Amino acid sequence: MKAEILCVGTELLLGDIVNTNAAYIAKELANIGIDVYYQSVIGDNDNRLKEGLALAFSRADIVVMTGGLGPTYDDLTKETVAEYFHRNMKLDAASLESIEGFFKRLGRPMTENNKKQAMMPEGATIFPNANGTAPGLAVSENGKTAILLPGPPAEMQPMFQSAVLPYLMGFSDKVLVSHNVRIFGMGESRVEEVLHELMKNSTNPTIAPYAKMGEVTLRITAAADTKEACEKLIGPAIEKIKKAIGKYIYGIDVPDLQTAAVEKLLEHNVTIATAESCTGGLISERITQIPGASRIFGCGVCSYANEIKHRVLGVSEETLQKYGAVSEQTAREMASGIRRLAGSDIGVSTTGIAGPGGGTKEKPVGLVYVGIDSDDLTTVLKLNINYHKADERNYIRHMTAQNVFRLVLKALEGKENQDG
Amino acid sequence: MKAEILCVGTELLLGDIVNTNAAYIAKELANIGIDVYYQSVIGDNDNRLKEGLALAFSRADIVVMTGGLGPTYDDLTKETVAEYFHRNMKLDAASLESIEGFFKRLGRPMTENNKKQAMMPEGATIFPNANGTAPGLAVSENGKTAILLPGPPAEMQPMFQSAVLPYLMGFSDKVLVSHNVRIFGMGESRVEEVLHELMKNSTNPTIAPYAKMGEVTLRITAAADTKEACEKLIGPAIEKIKKAIGKYIYGIDVPDLQTAAVEKLLEHNVTIATAESCTGGLISERITQIPGASRIFGCGVCSYANEIKHRVLGVSEETLQKYGAVSEQTAREMASGIRRLAGSDIGVSTTGIAGPGGGTKEKPVGLVYVGIDSDDLTTVLKLNINYHKADERNYIRHMTAQNVFRLVLKALEGKENQDG
């Protein structure tokens, strides 16, 4: 089965946004054994869209399109596909209702042009959009299938997982099951090096690595007649991975480090408080992203100024003068200080040079101390974060937060063993 | 002049890497007035590469290619282009010398296959590669021009700036200028409705809307003989937009609301402190994303628990009991409390129901109070944030932060007028 990816949008053609959709879809299709030989980007132009679609179908069975499902006159993808399949456009009542509901929740009047988003080619399979107004859809006939998805990744990706994958699996008689092994503290090339033989020789399940901002995920995917048969294929592969790189694995099927840490805190009823300097609130922000975090988090202080480190967190003036704000000693006193102020079980702290300015020879950009104060673990880690030049500040702050969450998981390991 | 972008690489087709090159090149070409109607991605395959190149030249004058310039047998871009133009491949002595020099600096022996990277189609213009071994090149004949660039962005981008842009400027006699009008508080469809006639009738300058997370940007782009002539075309369009929706415009050519607010704070030397409940640190995190923020920000408190609102920020127990944590009164006392604690010029606060749980009939999910306390403006805004269902918590927190930054800009307007 061959597929092509056709992304529609003048903002892509002009380079205003990077086409992450093509990579995302390509990877997902590769994962379920669908080959992609071409990816294209076309603007919102009637004729070029028609030609592009015809060309894609001359080479492939499935054309996955993104973009051009919006409410404005230059959103033409659906109409082009309807024309290709000789279908009329028809108002889809369920889609209209869902769009109306969306605007009702917004408390805003629905504009007339939003109705256009509920117009669908006759006989289309419709994919509801939980995150926006444009539903996705598929039209299939004579071995040719067009799949149309909204452009914003935050709408497209959940729709792909919840609706498009099951739809595509309908073309096969197999069931597909995936598990994600989350890895922190080991680079992608190193993971690939260590697991090279295993990854290369695995066809069912497949093992595919995904790298993102200092983390690696291995997605293990099996195809079989039943869900149970898939799990039986996946189990031994995960065991082999654990054996090879177990200490870098922080979870399986958890979305990310912060969720893994907060879920463990919730599970063990352990409260945490944050004292942040270089991360500026990033850690408390990430903790509180997770619903229910208020049960384990009550207080964070972003002590950007030394005076606040001293007056609010109780870091001694002597420490600040003698060792400076970016020091092991300050990180230690910040962690114990916030724990005392909040009355929490764990206190964590960050202090470092996030750049781009502020670095010196002794304390270069990327030097960060992260501290933890708790009954089970009290320590300070010194990090030298290797940064990507163009985005150093964000990257250094992100990696600092990741290391704090890893430290929290480590502090809870004792609890795990006690409980178990 | 029309161009196409043709990116070569199996790793792109498989989605292993995101195609940032296409966006980069597209933006650079748009900037100098060269239209791009198609972008394509093809794998390292002889036949498909040939077909892809022929197709691209059937539609465009310039084809910019990336990738496939490496030393291995499946790097075929140069050979394909040579064949298209009926040129022989020939060893380029200067390129060979430069590749040898590169390996010498690395202290590594040059392998035999690296010599392939010095083989060039006869008569090609060669672009030296300061950051890797593969030189870029251009071949031009009968109004058709192929530009071949290395795949790694760290090699491609500097080469584009130093060699490709000067080469391309030889083809164009126009200059292009863009300005971005940033809008907050008005949805994309509403902006388009109000400005429909203006946008539709504008050809030079063009007016293009971009929407992202509750914000809209209008990009106004003009083409003319000189930069000054472009500005003269753009000026009246911006005036018309200001006249129609001026109160929703928070800046021109600023990257986002948080930057607009922090830059104004820096400009006027006004310090700020944050007291966050439902945003959990998001606002302090966004302020401190901006280098230099320490000059105007020293202290943020994330008071997630009521006890912290009372004990650290000084919100009275009576207020918390009588009106609850999510109330105008609490927001007001949080803002004044953090201002007092930090000794800052401005105190801002957030308290609300970010969801997904925690809503009641009286205080539903999306109800948020944002407060500000300063000499120029002391007020509390009640927001009913209309959320996207699947991502409500993030969206509500994001929109809360946006409203705080809007409030900060409003508080500084007085300063603007005084200073002016």
Side-chain angles (χ1 to χ4, degrees):
Chain A
M1 182 106 41
K2 278 192 286 184
E4 270 194 54
I5 300 168
L6 187 53
C7 300
V8 183
T10 305
E11 67 280 20
L12 288 170
L13 267 192
L14 286 173
D16 286 325
I17 52 175
V18 171
N19 192 359
T20 58
N21 284 344
Y24 179 89
I25 295 168
K27 191 138 205 173
E28 292 293 329
L29 293 176
N31 231 357
I32 56 170
I34 295 176
D35 291 325
V36 174
Y37 289 149
Y38 297 92
Q39 298 169 5
S40 313
V41 174
I42 304 191
D44 304 284
N45 172 286
D46 198 7
N47 277 326
R48 287 194 285 277
L49 212 49
K50 253 183 238 173
E51 282 173 27
L53 185 66
L55 177 65
F57 271 131
S58 76
R59 301 183 293 208
D61 314 298
I62 300 172
V63 179
V64 182
M65 304 176 79
T66 63
L69 300 182
T72 67
Y73 65 93
D74 67 346
D75 290 306
L76 301 162
T77 315
K78 277 186 301 192
E79 290 74 7
T80 308
V81 168
E83 201 184 314
Y84 179 86
F85 284 100
H86 306 290
R87 307 274 178 107
N88 290 321
M89 294 295 283
K90 200 182 137 185
L91 188 80
D92 178 61
S95 295
L96 182 62
E97 200 177 304
S98 146
I99 296 167
E100 282 171 346
F102 187 86
F103 278 94
K104 202 172 259 172
R105 280 197 305 281
L106 267 127
R108 278 201 228 152
M110 188 178 104
T111 58
E112 193 55 30
N113 55 8
N114 278 106
K115 273 194 189 159
K116 183 169 175 296
Q117 298 189 293
M119 295 295 291
M120 295 288 166
E122 276 187 305
T125 303
I126 292 162
F127 308 135
N129 187 343
N131 306 289
T133 55
L137 61 138
V139 181
S140 190
E141 199 176 309
N142 293 332
K144 297 288 177 190
T145 302
I147 294 174
L148 282 69
L149 304 173
E155 300 177 26
M156 189 280 287
Q157 292 183 10
M159 188 183 289
F160 202 97
Q161 292 299 325
S162 66
V164 179
L165 275 184
Y167 178 84
L168 286 172
M169 290 312 290
F171 291 104
S172 137
D173 52 357
K174 296 278 187 210
V175 175
L176 218 74
V177 172
S178 285
H179 289 298
N180 293 299
V181 178
R182 305 286 187 195
I183 295 155
F184 180 72
M186 194 178 199
E188 190 189 15
S189 19
R190 185 79 188 121
V191 170
E192 287 204 39
E193 211 173 289
V194 173
L195 300 176
H196 185 72
E197 283 306 306
L198 180 64
M199 286 167 63
K200 208 177 146 190
N201 298 327
S202 295
T203 50
N204 193 20
T206 56
I207 303 176
Y210 300 79
K212 202 170 90 180
M213 290 284 276
E215 278 195 50
V216 179
T217 295
L218 292 174
R219 179 187 278 190
I220 329 288
T221 306
D225 289 336
T226 63
K227 206 170 162 301
E228 291 69 34
C230 288
E231 297 290 359
K232 268 193 187 156
L233 289 165
I234 294 174
I238 291 187
E239 282 316 306
K240 278 181 202 160
I241 294 167
K242 276 188 179 167
K243 214 173 152 188
I245 57 166
K247 68 171 178 165
Y248 298 101
I249 297 172
Y250 69 80
I252 291 172
D253 295 331
V254 283
D256 45 45
L257 253 176
Q258 71 213 54
T259 308
V262 171
E263 280 180 355
K264 278 267 174 287
L265 290 167
L266 286 165
E267 187 184 321
H268 297 291
N269 263 311
V270 171
T271 59
I272 190 170
T274 56
E276 304 185 55
S277 189
C278 63
T279 44
L282 180 62
I283 294 170
S284 69
E285 194 272 321
R286 288 194 177 171
I287 291 172
T288 58
Q289 271 177 16
I290 294 154
S294 59
R295 273 178 44 218
I296 51 92
F297 177 78
C299 177
V301 168
C302 173
S303 56
Y304 227 50
N306 280 359
E307 192 244 328
I308 301 295
K309 290 185 184 75
H310 170 61
R311 185 156 54 82
V312 178
L313 296 176
V315 177
S316 79
E317 280 178 329
E318 198 200 337
T319 295
L320 288 166
Q321 268 173 19
K322 198 165 164 192
Y323 304 104
V326 178
S327 65
E328 189 187 321
Q329 291 78 2
T330 297
R332 194 177 298 277
E333 291 181 34
M334 284 173 71
S336 60
I338 190 67
R339 187 183 173 194
R340 199 169 45 236
L341 178 71
S344 58
D345 299 320
I346 296 179
V348 291
S349 65
T350 66
T351 181
I353 318 277
T360 62
K361 208 176 165 189
E362 291 78 35
K363 297 185 177 181
V365 171
L367 173 68
V368 174
Y369 294 90
V370 298
I372 188 165
D373 190 288
S374 69
D375 287 349
D376 297 299
L377 180 68
T378 295
T379 190
V380 173
L381 276 190
K382 180 182 177 179
L383 308 171
N384 285 294
I385 297 170
N386 297 306
Y387 47 86
H388 301 278
K389 233 178 180 173
D391 198 28
E392 60 194 280
R393 191 173 175 88
N394 268 335
Y395 186 75
I396 288 168
R397 286 155 54 107
H398 166 76
M399 289 304 283
T400 302
Q402 296 288 74
N403 275 285
V404 167
F405 290 119
R406 188 76 192 85
L407 221 42
V408 170
L409 282 172
K410 212 168 164 187
L412 293 169
E413 266 170 24
K415 294 251 181 301
E416 294 279 283
N417 297 338
Q418 280 165 38
D419 295 0
Chain B
M1 182 97 45
K2 280 191 285 186
E4 271 194 51
I5 300 168
L6 187 54
C7 300
V8 183
T10 305
E11 67 281 19
L12 289 170
L13 265 192
L14 287 174
D16 286 327
I17 53 174
V18 170
N19 192 359
T20 57
N21 284 343
Y24 179 88
I25 295 167
K27 192 142 207 169
E28 292 292 328
L29 293 177
N31 241 348
I32 56 169
I34 295 177
D35 292 323
V36 175
Y37 290 149
Y38 298 91
Q39 298 169 4
S40 312
V41 174
I42 304 190
D44 304 286
N45 172 288
D46 198 7
N47 277 325
R48 287 195 284 278
L49 210 51
K50 252 183 239 174
E51 282 173 26
L53 185 66
L55 177 65
F57 271 130
S58 75
R59 302 183 294 208
D61 315 300
I62 301 172
V63 179
V64 182
M65 304 176 79
T66 63
L69 299 183
T72 67
Y73 66 94
D74 68 348
D75 290 306
L76 301 161
T77 315
K78 276 186 301 192
E79 290 74 6
T80 308
V81 167
E83 201 183 313
Y84 179 86
F85 284 99
H86 307 290
R87 308 271 179 110
N88 291 321
M89 295 294 284
K90 199 183 139 183
L91 186 80
D92 179 62
S95 295
L96 182 62
E97 199 177 307
S98 147
I99 295 167
E100 283 170 345
F102 187 87
F103 278 96
K104 204 173 259 172
R105 279 198 303 282
L106 275 166
R108 274 199 240 151
M110 189 179 106
T111 59
E112 195 54 31
N113 56 8
N114 277 105
K115 273 192 188 163
K116 183 172 175 292
Q117 298 189 294
M119 295 295 290
M120 295 287 167
E122 276 188 307
T125 303
I126 292 162
F127 307 134
N129 187 342
N131 305 287
T133 56
L137 61 139
V139 182
S140 190
E141 196 175 313
N142 292 331
K144 299 287 177 193
T145 302
I147 294 173
L148 283 70
L149 304 172
E155 300 177 26
M156 190 279 288
Q157 293 181 11
M159 188 184 289
F160 202 97
Q161 293 300 324
S162 66
V164 181
L165 274 183
Y167 180 84
L168 285 173
M169 287 312 287
F171 292 104
S172 167
D173 52 357
K174 293 276 185 216
V175 175
L176 220 74
V177 173
S178 285
H179 289 297
N180 293 298
V181 179
R182 306 285 187 195
I183 295 157
F184 180 70
M186 196 177 199
E188 188 189 16
S189 349
R190 184 82 188 117
V191 170
E192 285 205 39
E193 216 172 281
V194 173
L195 300 177
H196 184 71
E197 284 306 307
L198 179 64
M199 284 166 61
K200 213 177 144 187
N201 298 329
S202 294
T203 51
N204 194 18
T206 56
I207 304 177
Y210 301 83
K212 204 171 89 181
M213 287 285 276
E215 280 194 48
V216 179
T217 296
L218 292 174
R219 177 188 278 193
I220 330 288
T221 306
D225 289 337
T226 63
K227 207 172 161 298
E228 292 68 33
C230 288
E231 298 289 359
K232 267 193 187 155
L233 289 164
I234 293 174
I238 290 187
E239 282 315 307
K240 278 181 202 160
I241 294 167
K242 276 188 179 167
K243 213 172 154 189
I245 55 168
K247 68 172 176 164
Y248 299 102
I249 297 172
Y250 69 81
I252 291 172
D253 295 331
V254 282
D256 46 46
L257 252 175
Q258 72 213 55
T259 308
V262 171
E263 281 180 354
K264 280 265 174 286
L265 289 167
L266 286 164
E267 186 186 318
H268 296 291
N269 263 311
V270 172
T271 59
I272 190 170
T274 56
E276 305 186 55
S277 189
C278 64
T279 43
L282 180 62
I283 294 170
S284 68
E285 194 272 322
R286 287 194 178 170
I287 291 172
T288 58
Q289 271 176 16
I290 295 154
S294 60
R295 273 179 44 217
I296 51 92
F297 176 79
C299 177
V301 168
C302 172
S303 56
Y304 227 50
N306 281 0
E307 193 244 330
I308 302 297
K309 289 184 183 75
H310 169 61
R311 186 155 54 82
V312 179
L313 296 176
V315 177
S316 80
E317 281 178 330
E318 198 200 337
T319 296
L320 288 166
Q321 267 172 22
K322 198 166 164 191
Y323 304 103
V326 179
S327 65
E328 190 187 320
Q329 291 79 0
T330 297
R332 192 176 300 277
E333 292 180 34
M334 284 173 72
S336 59
I338 190 67
R339 188 183 173 195
R340 199 168 45 235
L341 178 71
S344 58
D345 300 319
I346 295 181
V348 292
S349 65
T350 66
T351 181
I353 318 275
T360 62
K361 210 176 164 191
E362 291 76 37
K363 297 186 176 180
V365 171
L367 173 68
V368 174
Y369 294 90
V370 296
I372 189 165
D373 191 286
S374 69
D375 286 349
D376 296 298
L377 179 69
T378 294
T379 188
V380 173
L381 275 190
K382 180 184 178 178
L383 308 171
N384 285 295
I385 297 170
N386 304 299
Y387 46 86
H388 301 279
K389 228 179 181 173
D391 200 26
E392 61 194 280
R393 192 173 175 87
N394 268 334
Y395 187 74
I396 289 169
R397 287 155 53 107
H398 167 75
M399 290 303 282
T400 302
Q402 296 288 75
N403 274 286
V404 166
F405 289 120
R406 189 75 192 86
L407 219 44
V408 170
L409 282 172
K410 212 169 164 187
L412 293 170
E413 267 170 25
K415 294 252 181 301
E416 294 279 283
N417 297 338
Q418 280 167 35
D419 295 1

